[in-house]
Amino acid sequence: MPVFGVCGPICSGKDVAVEYLRTQHSCTLIECCETIKASTSVTVFKVDGETLTGVSELVNFVTRNWRKRYVLNNFSDPTLRDALSKRPFFLLVYLDAPILTRYERYVKSKRPYNITLEMFCRMQDSAAFNPIDGVNKHRAFANVYINNDSSEKPQLWEKLKRADLMNGDRFRPCWDAYFMQLASLASMRSNCMKRRVGCVLVRDQRVIATGYNGTPRGLRNCNEGGCTRCNSAAKSGIGLGTCLCLHAEENALLEAGRERIGDRGILYCNTCPCLTCSVKIAQVGISEVVYSTSYSMDNQSADILKAGGVVLRQFVPPLTDVF
């Protein structure tokens, strides 16, 4: 049961995106409006013939009706966003477009035709940068970003189709996505001046070791001048014999040890292993290597791993930015 929140600046295509979700994926529209009670602003939602007052009532309603699909348009309430984001069925979609494109859409619509570009920009800034519920606040939290610079509805629908919004990995990552995200997180600890690489070793869907690239323990970090080769911006594959940095895969293998890896170990790495690491991976008995980004030695590594009986495959997650 997905619940989609559609947000974005004025005339970014939110209504068209909602129409797509309603007609192509049978989503039920949740209407929202603000009312004033005792000088206090309260959001009221209308859906399936029911009137729900406040964020809690809506979240409880969609949770109880988890078998249905819903969509919220003009999503602006950060309280609602935070509440729904705790649920495993919520996806926030952010649409945007160049301001001139959005202005042209505005004047072509049924809205006042005599509004100037300057007036539109002021109105846009007021809606986007409001400190309480400005739409720009939602962009950083969006799961999917769509650039709607198209002039016709079918073009936006095609982008929405390519975004594959119903992909289950968007709501609850599959094991590949989960472990690859952990590998990417590990890469953020890298101190290598050449590239950030992270690795996760898994057996029976349990993490047994992680690693990232950088100089060995006790040596000065690479990003502090510890490795002359990396700090000289040497080309890929050149001067490897002088490099002091351990690779992410090497660090993970050293941490785990052959006995812990066993014969069912799977190695996840955000970059395809180099030739040297591939030799070591085959030696310790890893059964499978899953990578995200290609490297200059992919074909050589693939040959070594294949000869060593190791499956090599690339994991490509669903798009988060659709242009």
Side-chain angles (χ1 to χ4, degrees), residues 187-259:
S187 74
M188 300 304 293
R189 283 289 303 166
S190 169
N191 63 65
C192 181
M193 291 292 286
K194 289 291 290 181
R195 71 175 68 234
R196 283 176 164 174
V197 181
C199 173
V200 175
L201 272 173
V202 176
R203 187 177 66 193
D204 298 331
Q205 298 177 337
R206 297 291 183 270
V207 175
I208 58 176
T210 63
Y212 53 87
N213 57 328
T215 47
R217 183 177 59 183
L219 276 67
R220 184 187 303 170
N221 286 339
C222 181
N223 61 354
E224 296 172 341
C227 178
T228 303
R229 185 256 175 186
C230 290
N231 281 266
S232 66
K235 293 183 179 180
S236 178
I238 302 298
L240 295 178
T242 64
C243 183
L244 299 180
C245 288
L246 284 166
H247 290 191
E249 301 93 322
E250 292 175 311
N251 276 321
L253 293 173
L254 286 169
E255 179 184 338
R258 183 168 182 173
E259 295 304 316

Side-chain angles (χ1 to χ4, degrees), residues 140-170:
F141 295 90
N143 306 100
V144 183
Y145 172 88
I146 296 179
N147 174 28
N148 179 27
D149 56 356
S150 310
S151 57
E152 302 294 336
K153 182 171 73 173
Q155 293 172 307
L156 175 56
W157 277 36
E158 180 59 32
K159 289 186 177 183
L160 289 163
K161 182 179 179 181
R162 284 199 292 115
D164 195 15
L165 298 176
M166 298 298 295
N167 190 321
D169 287 356
R170 294 198 180 280

